[in-house]
């Protein structure tokens, strides 16, 4: 009841000032806000920007009168349906397929901004982008995919090239930070990583080789009950529980199908260590598209891949790499990775 009453007040307040804004952002939660923050800052230089969310967000940009949180689905849907803006930017897909719906009271343009450099087909539903007026593509693979989606689904949506500003933000924020821990283990969800006991095997081998590490569990793995905090504590596996992933705290990354391996390559210009668990697939129809997902095409170029039965060799490679880095007192960039990033990403 308290949340409902708060929403009544917020809705009233929104409608009294909404006409002062032409541009808005829907930042669904704290996680998405981190990706959209650079774009909000850019747009705020020329326009007063309205920010809508489903969570409280602790940031200077959200401490002003232009920030609104709605806690109940009832009011969230009403807000979207009655919105009177010229443009709304978001990183939430499936417009018109959820409570996130297009306005019935204005000709608002809806622009999708990517919060990951991975495929627009394999990890999204078929109709995720059907209702958007424009979709941002941060690399050539996404651009080809989106143009193919537009043709196959007969959409009026426009695909546009744009820099992935989140990477620039991370580099600026953490460029003076030294890596404190040898390895971050950051698997995706829906990849059988925990079911196959990869975390247990990695823990054993990393400890045996005196390699420091932490495990970062994807939020969806908790939601889907792939693993629990209690299980991790019982296994005595150290956890990275920061609100946002900070790759700069670590020297090496171990993952499976997470897009973090692409972000890692973009930031450090070197390869992550990838375990060949089953692919993370949300949309089986991705196979109907001619353009192959970036996480498949560049997997063996931006990462060192290992089958599950070869995890021991993976850990051995990290140990060897760490010893070489210790002698050089630095971690060198991989020229091949740097070239691939330069050629394929809109930097």
């Amino acid at each position: 009841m308290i949340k409902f009453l708060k929403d009544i007040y917020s809705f009233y307040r929104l409608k009294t000032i909404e006409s002062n804004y032409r541009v808005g952002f829907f930042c669904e939660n704290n996680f998405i806000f981190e990706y959209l923050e650079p774009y909000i800052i850019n747009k705020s230089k020329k326009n007063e920007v309205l920010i809508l969310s489903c969570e409280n967000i602790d940031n200077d940009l959200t401490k002003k009168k232009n920030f609104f949180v709605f806690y109940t689905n009832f009011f969230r849907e009403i807000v979207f349906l009655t919105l009177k803006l010229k443009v709304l930017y978001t990183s939430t897909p499936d417009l018109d397929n959820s409570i996130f719906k297009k306005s019935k009271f204005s000709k608002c343009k809806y622009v999708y901004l990517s919060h990951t450099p991975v495929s627009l087909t394999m990890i999204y539903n078929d109709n995720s982008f059907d209702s958007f007026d424009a979709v941002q593509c941060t690399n050539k693979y996404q651009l080809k995919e989106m143009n193919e989606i537009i043709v196959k689904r007969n959409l009026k949506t426009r695909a546009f090239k744009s820099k992935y500003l989140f990477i620039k933000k991370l580099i600026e924020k953490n460029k003076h930070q030294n890596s404190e821990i040898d390895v971050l283990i950051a698997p995706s969800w829906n990849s059988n990583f925990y079911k196959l006991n990869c975390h247990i095997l990695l823990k054993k081998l990393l400890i045996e080789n005196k390699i420091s590490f932490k495990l970062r569990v994807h939020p969806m793995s908790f939601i889907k009950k792939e693993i629990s905090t209690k299980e991790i504590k019982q296994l005595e596996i150290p956890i990275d529980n920061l609100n946002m992933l900070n790759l700069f705290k670590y020297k090496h990354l171990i993952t499976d199908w997470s897009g973090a391996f692409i972000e890692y390559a973009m930031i450090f210009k070197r390869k992550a260590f990838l375990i060949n668990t089953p692919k993370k697939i949300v949309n089986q129809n991705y196979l109907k598209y001619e353009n192959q997902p970036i996480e498949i095409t560049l997997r063996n170029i931006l990462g060192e891949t290992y089958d599950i039965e070869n995890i021991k060799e993976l850990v051995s490679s990290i140990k060897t790499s760490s010893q070489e880095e210790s002698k050089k007192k630095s971690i060198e960039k991989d020229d091949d990775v740097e070239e691939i990033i330069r050629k394929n990403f809109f930097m």
Side-chain angles (χ1 to χ4, degrees):
M1 178 59 75
I2 293 177
K3 289 181 178 180
F4 192 82
L5 292 175
K6 284 183 176 180
D7 281 357
I8 292 175
Y9 172 72
S10 294
F11 185 74
Y12 169 77
R13 190 168 65 88
L14 171 65
K15 291 304 169 184
T16 59
I17 66 169
E18 187 179 24
S19 59
N20 298 328
Y21 298 89
R22 297 177 69 256
V23 178
F25 282 81
F26 171 40
C27 306
E28 187 175 356
N29 49 44
N30 279 269
F31 175 78
I32 294 298
F33 176 82
E34 292 293 333
Y35 288 88
L36 292 181
E37 183 185 18
Y39 303 97
I40 295 173
I41 292 172
N42 278 358
K43 290 296 179 183
S44 297
K45 293 175 182 177
K46 294 184 178 180
N47 299 280
E48 285 290 326
V49 172
L50 189 72
I51 304 174
L52 304 173
S53 183
C54 298
E55 288 183 358
N56 283 312
I57 297 171
D58 186 17
N59 185 283
D60 288 342
L61 289 172
T62 61
K63 293 178 180 177
K64 303 174 183 178
K65 62 180 182 180
N66 64 329
F67 177 65
F68 294 85
V69 182
F70 291 93
Y71 300 96
T72 63
N73 285 341
F74 175 79
F75 270 100
R76 289 169 185 165
E77 189 164 358
I78 288 178
V79 167
F80 293 132
L81 288 171
T82 61
L83 205 59
K84 295 180 180 179
L85 294 172
K86 295 293 183 181
V87 184
L88 181 72
Y89 295 91
T90 187
S91 195
T92 298
D94 295 307
L95 177 63
D96 273 343
N97 299 319
S98 62
I99 60 165
F100 180 32
K101 290 183 170 63
K102 297 182 78 168
S103 175
K104 303 296 184 184
F105 288 81
S106 70
K107 295 181 180 180
C108 181
K109 299 294 184 183
Y110 292 81
V111 180
Y112 182 83
L113 299 175
S114 296
H115 63 269
T116 175
V118 299
S119 168
L120 296 177
T121 57
M122 192 164 75
I123 67 166
Y124 290 95
N125 295 321
D126 251 359
N127 55 357
S128 289
F129 308 109
D130 287 12
S131 294
F132 284 96
D133 295 280
V135 173
Q136 177 201 37
C137 302
T138 61
N139 57 68
K140 291 180 180 178
Y141 290 87
Q142 286 186 339
L143 185 62
K144 289 178 181 178
E145 278 187 320
M146 194 60 220
N147 282 327
E148 188 178 358
I149 290 171
I150 290 168
V151 172
K152 280 186 178 294
R153 299 189 64 77
N154 194 27
L155 306 179
K156 295 181 180 179
T157 309
R158 179 174 67 89
F160 67 97
K161 298 186 291 185
S162 177
K163 295 178 181 179
Y164 189 40
L165 295 184
F166 179 66
I167 293 297
K168 182 180 179 181
K169 167 186 168 179
L170 290 182
I171 293 173
E172 287 298 315
K173 183 178 179 181
N174 300 287
K175 59 185 177 183
H176 298 303
Q177 180 173 330
N178 294 320
S179 51
E180 306 163 0
I181 301 167
D182 293 319
V183 173
L184 173 67
I185 306 169
S188 184
W189 64 283
N190 196 30
S191 66
N192 285 346
F193 183 88
Y194 301 105
K195 190 175 182 179
L196 293 167
N197 289 325
C198 295
H199 57 308
I200 296 173
L201 182 54
L202 281 169
K203 176 205 169 185
K204 176 180 179 293
L205 292 168
L206 290 169
I207 289 175
E208 285 177 358
N209 285 276
K210 298 180 180 179
I211 298 172
S212 59
F213 69 96
K214 281 191 176 183
L215 171 67
R216 184 175 180 86
V217 181
H218 193 288
M220 286 300 294
S221 290
F222 285 133
I223 293 172
K224 297 293 184 180
K225 297 183 178 179
E226 295 174 352
I227 197 166
S228 66
T229 303
K230 182 180 178 181
E231 289 175 85
I232 298 171
K233 288 181 177 178
Q234 287 175 342
L235 290 168
E236 297 183 334
I237 295 177
I239 303 175
D240 179 319
N241 54 11
L242 294 175
N243 289 333
M244 281 301 297
L245 170 61
N246 184 357
L247 292 170
F248 290 81
K249 289 170 60 68
Y250 303 90
K251 295 175 182 175
H252 303 285
L253 171 67
I254 297 176
T255 183
D256 45 15
W257 289 93
S258 169
F261 88 89
I262 301 176
E263 293 180 347
Y264 182 86
M266 293 176 73
I267 293 170
F268 301 109
K269 309 302 186 294
R270 60 179 186 264
K271 298 180 180 182
F273 294 88
L274 310 179
I275 300 173
N276 293 328
T277 58
K279 294 183 186 71
K280 172 189 173 182
I281 300 173
V282 174
N283 179 14
Q284 292 289 347
N285 287 334
Y286 87 92
L287 294 169
K288 296 180 180 179
Y289 291 88
E290 292 180 10
N291 290 287
Q292 197 174 44
I294 186 174
E295 55 267 47
I296 295 176
T297 306
L298 296 185
R299 183 171 177 80
N300 292 308
I301 299 174
L302 300 183
E304 297 283 354
T305 60
Y306 297 83
D307 292 333
I308 294 171
E309 58 267 26
N310 294 326
I311 287 181
K312 187 173 182 179
E313 283 77 8
L314 183 158
V315 174
S316 179
S317 294
I318 290 177
K319 185 175 182 179
T320 300
S321 179
S322 295
Q323 290 170 342
E324 292 174 354
E325 291 156 8
S326 181
K327 292 176 183 177
K328 297 176 183 177
K329 296 183 179 179
S330 65
I331 304 176
E332 294 183 349
K333 294 180 180 179
D334 185 312
D335 291 339
D336 292 335
V337 171
E338 189 166 20
E339 182 69 3
I340 289 294
I341 296 298
R342 185 185 67 78
K343 286 184 176 180
N344 292 284
F345 290 80
F346 307 130
M347 306 295 284

